[in-house]
Amino acid sequence: MKETASAPVFRAALIGDLVGSRDAADRQALHTRLSRALAAVQQQLPSLDPPVIQAGDEVQCSYATVGEALHAGFLLRILLAPEADIRFGVGWGRVEVLDAQRRTQDGPAWWQARAAIDTVEARAQHPGTRYARFCYRSAPDGSGPTEAAVEAALLCRDHLMGSLDTRSMRILGGLVAGRSKTEIGRAEKISTSAVSQRTQRDGLDVIVAASAMLREVR
């Protein structure tokens, strides 16, 4: 969607930040993986403005709803795993396009997204919330989806996903992509029964269902 300078509108701003990217052995390969994952997400769920990768491996884009922003982040996290991990801040509020050519935006939505990603980074420093990867902040005036309800769902989903091993994360990715357990089993070289057992044990169907519900948040 082409940006033009305009009056402020309400949007869900999304900021993503790769975890530990400075310590990556091959930063070029990591950047390439991020770029490809972003392109794949854009095909499935286009943002209102093209995603921009800033210095420090930070991603910025915006969506019409909080649910779409959360789901885009969820898809991106799955596509990057297990080689890379990423945290997200989502903020709802007004966005003003200051310069269409340079894609310069400003407004409370971005301020709230920044506050959210700072919060999730702080949470990850504590043992009890070390798996935190998403945080949401409503508009400063309190408008937008209820913050507490969305945050509760995100914290629970983050904990479930943070507890997954590499194979279960791949299986989750297959389920989200709509592949059958039989197809996933063939790819993993395990039985359909083994896929089902992992799905039940690790709560993968719960993660898929919760993510579908979060996508509908308006």
Side-chain angles (χ1 to χ4, degrees):
M1 180 176 179
K2 185 177 180 179
E3 289 283 8
T4 57
S6 63
V9 294
F10 276 89
R11 291 184 181 179
L14 173 69
I15 298 177
D17 181 35
L18 288 177
V19 177
S21 62
R22 293 181 182 179
D23 299 324
D26 189 339
R27 285 183 52 79
Q28 181 59 58
L30 180 60
H31 181 85
T32 299
R33 184 175 182 84
L34 176 60
S35 297
R36 289 175 177 171
L38 277 172
V41 172
Q42 277 293 98
Q43 287 188 327
Q44 297 182 60
L45 186 58
S47 57
L48 292 174
D49 43 275
V52 176
I53 301 178
Q54 307 280 13
D57 299 311
E58 182 177 282
V59 177
Q60 295 184 3
C61 53
S62 63
Y63 290 84
T65 70
V66 170
E68 287 181 348
L70 292 173
H71 197 65
F74 173 65
L75 294 175
L76 185 57
R77 185 181 181 192
I78 289 175
L79 288 172
L80 289 171
E83 287 81 5
D85 197 3
I86 189 168
R87 63 173 68 92
F88 297 95
V90 174
W92 177 257
R94 290 186 179 275
V95 169
E96 182 177 1
V97 178
L98 302 178
D99 188 317
Q101 287 188 328
R102 294 184 174 85
R103 300 177 185 173
T104 305
Q105 298 181 6
D106 193 22
W110 290 108
W111 309 337
Q112 296 298 84
R114 179 64 61 192
I117 202 166
D118 288 345
T119 297
V120 77
E121 184 175 5
R123 283 175 179 165
Q125 305 305 312
H126 297 279
T129 52
R130 65 188 182 279
Y131 296 136
R133 292 296 181 269
F134 281 81
C135 183
Y136 160 68
R137 289 290 176 261
S138 58
D141 63 3
S143 63
T146 304
E147 195 171 291
V150 175
E151 278 280 87
L154 291 174
L155 279 170
C156 291
R157 186 181 69 177
D158 282 348
H159 185 80
L160 284 173
M161 289 186 68
S163 303
L164 302 180
D165 62 19
T166 300
R167 170 165 281 175
S168 289
M169 185 66 85
R170 288 198 304 266
I171 292 174
L172 174 62
L175 294 172
V176 171
R179 293 194 287 273
S180 69
K181 290 183 173 66
T182 299
E183 291 174 316
I184 294 171
R186 290 197 193 104
E188 292 292 324
K189 295 182 173 55
I190 59 177
S191 67
T192 301
S193 176
V195 173
S196 296
Q197 289 172 16
R198 274 183 172 264
T199 299
Q200 294 174 19
R201 183 195 69 194
D202 294 340
L204 303 187
D205 284 335
V206 174
I207 295 173
V208 173
S211 298
M213 293 176 188
L214 280 167
R215 184 176 183 174
E216 298 305 312
V217 172
R218 294 291 183 263

